[in-house]
Amino acid sequence: MENWNTTSDFILLGLLNHTGAHQFLFVLVLITAFTSLVGNALMCLLILLDSGLHKPMYFLLSQLSLMDMILVITIVPKMAADYLTGRTFISPVDCGFQIFFFLTLEGGECFLLAAMSYDRYVAICHPLRYPVLMSWQLCLRMTLGSWFLGAADGLMQAAATLNFSFCSVREIDHFFCEAPSLVRLACADTSVFEYAMYVCCVLMLLVPISLILISYSLILAAVLQMCSNEARKKAFATCSSHISVVGLFFGAAIFTYMRPKSYRSANHDKVVSAFYTIFTPVLNPLIYSLRNSEVKGALRKCMDQCAALSHD
């Protein structure tokens, strides 16, 4: 098979075709993406403007919303333009940027969720020492560390993937550039890189999951020792939103990246990728706004202020 140079474009086969059912799904994807952008932007704005939410927990939540917004912007506009215009080409440079941003955001979100679980552990198990154990300085360090680790993973995988020689078959069976889908097109032996990529993905998932499990094991032990049922309910309510988000995110990620290769198929990968790149980002602000009393209170206060201004 004849190699082609790095200026040649890839072809994204996409997620949807032009049947009536898929056109309906396309509209649903656009509505979901728009709702996700509005919901996460509103969450960031609410945390910025309401002084009652100026706490490390909500700063971490604002970073989660920011990551979700950038993820949607990275994937959906290109997918929508390809579907509407039929021009499904993507340059190697754009493909590299998609791989980099996707892995930066997904990897960063793994560690950010671990940081949020530590915050909940300190808030429930050591409430009197919270300002010391969860200082703003530590919060900023954990946030920057999450972004840095995600970016390091994204940069390494994007650079390594695009360094391969690719064959004349340039069709990526996906709706965006993802490293495993692109590696399948390489002419060279990629077994070592695929193994390294698998180990990297496992570590990026298992290290944060281990930290989250340790945090929630300690939280559970502390909650069971509480004498008051009211205190137990409050503790569980504080953690329920984060547990829901962790379950959605890591469930989809483990299904995608930790399955044996023999059990993987392009169609399954595309469906699961659509779930955690398009639908999960819209669920995060809904979960936190519906199940967090402080966020609901800040939202009501903001709406009351807007209504008062409109009446003036």
Side-chain angles (χ1 to χ4, degrees):
M1 289 169 61
E2 184 183 352
N3 287 1
W4 54 283
N5 60 43
T6 55
T7 60
S8 300
D9 291 341
F10 297 103
I11 301 170
L12 293 168
L13 296 184
L15 177 66
L16 305 169
N17 55 41
H18 289 274
T19 62
H22 279 217
Q23 287 173 352
F24 171 76
L25 288 175
F26 175 71
V27 173
L28 182 63
V29 165
L30 290 185
I31 293 171
T32 304
F34 178 76
T35 306
S36 173
L37 290 174
V38 172
N40 284 293
L42 182 61
M43 184 68 73
C44 289
L45 193 62
L46 204 60
I47 292 168
L48 179 65
L49 296 178
D50 193 291
S51 58
L53 300 181
H54 290 178
K55 301 174 184 177
M57 172 188 173
Y58 295 109
F59 178 76
L60 295 173
L61 178 56
S62 71
Q63 294 301 299
L64 181 68
S65 290
L66 179 61
M67 287 180 177
D68 283 341
M69 281 194 295
I70 299 174
L71 181 62
V72 171
I73 292 169
T74 300
I75 304 297
V76 176
K78 170 63 179 168
M79 184 189 76
D82 289 351
Y83 185 80
L84 292 172
T85 64
R87 295 173 60 87
T88 59
F89 296 98
I90 185 169
S91 70
V93 172
D94 291 340
C95 197
F97 274 119
Q98 273 200 336
I99 293 172
F100 169 73
F101 279 111
F102 173 73
L103 291 173
T104 296
L105 297 165
E106 292 294 300
E109 197 160 326
C110 287
F111 289 100
L112 191 67
L113 289 171
M116 293 172 77
S117 71
Y118 170 76
D119 172 85
R120 291 301 82 209
Y121 157 71
V122 175
I124 292 172
C125 298
H126 304 284
L128 297 179
R129 300 179 63 197
Y130 183 85
V132 177
L133 296 177
M134 192 62 192
S135 64
W136 276 107
Q137 187 178 26
L138 177 60
C139 179
L140 291 173
R141 284 179 180 175
M142 289 195 297
T143 302
L144 290 173
S146 298
W147 281 99
F148 175 78
L149 290 170
D153 179 47
L155 186 61
M156 286 189 294
Q157 289 205 40
T161 302
L162 292 175
N163 198 44
F164 286 113
S165 296
F166 296 98
C167 304
S168 57
V169 178
R170 299 173 289 134
E171 296 179 341
I172 301 173
D173 195 4
H174 217 303
F175 59 94
F176 68 97
C177 278
E178 194 179 28
S181 300
L182 195 59
V183 166
R184 296 189 191 112
L185 306 182
C187 293
D189 179 16
T190 62
S191 56
V192 174
F193 174 70
E194 287 186 72
Y195 179 76
M197 187 167 57
Y198 179 77
V199 171
C200 186
C201 288
V202 168
L203 288 174
M204 292 288 283
L205 290 172
L206 288 187
V207 171
I209 286 176
S210 299
L211 295 173
I212 291 168
L213 288 176
I214 291 170
S215 295
Y216 277 105
S217 297
L218 295 171
I219 289 171
L220 183 61
V223 169
L224 292 176
Q225 291 176 357
M226 292 178 179
C227 299
S228 168
N229 286 331
E230 190 65 31
R232 288 184 183 181
K233 287 179 182 178
K234 186 176 179 181
F236 281 125
T238 303
C239 297
S240 61
S241 301
H242 183 251
I243 292 172
S244 301
V245 172
V246 166
L248 285 170
F249 179 83
F250 282 103
I254 289 171
F255 182 81
T256 301
Y257 293 108
M258 293 182 67
R259 280 180 300 158
K261 197 172 181 180
S262 57
Y263 288 90
R264 299 186 66 167
S265 72
N267 287 332
H268 285 165
D269 286 351
K270 284 192 281 188
V271 171
V272 177
S273 294
F275 176 76
Y276 66 75
T277 57
I278 300 169
F279 293 101
T280 300
V282 79
L283 294 175
N284 291 348
L286 287 175
I287 289 170
Y288 276 102
S289 62
L290 293 175
R291 305 186 72 170
N292 187 294
S293 58
E294 288 184 309
V295 172
K296 284 193 289 187
L299 184 59
R300 277 195 296 266
K301 188 167 74 173
C302 182
M303 292 173 67
D304 290 341
Q305 289 174 349
C306 291
L309 288 173
S310 65
H311 287 115
D312 289 343

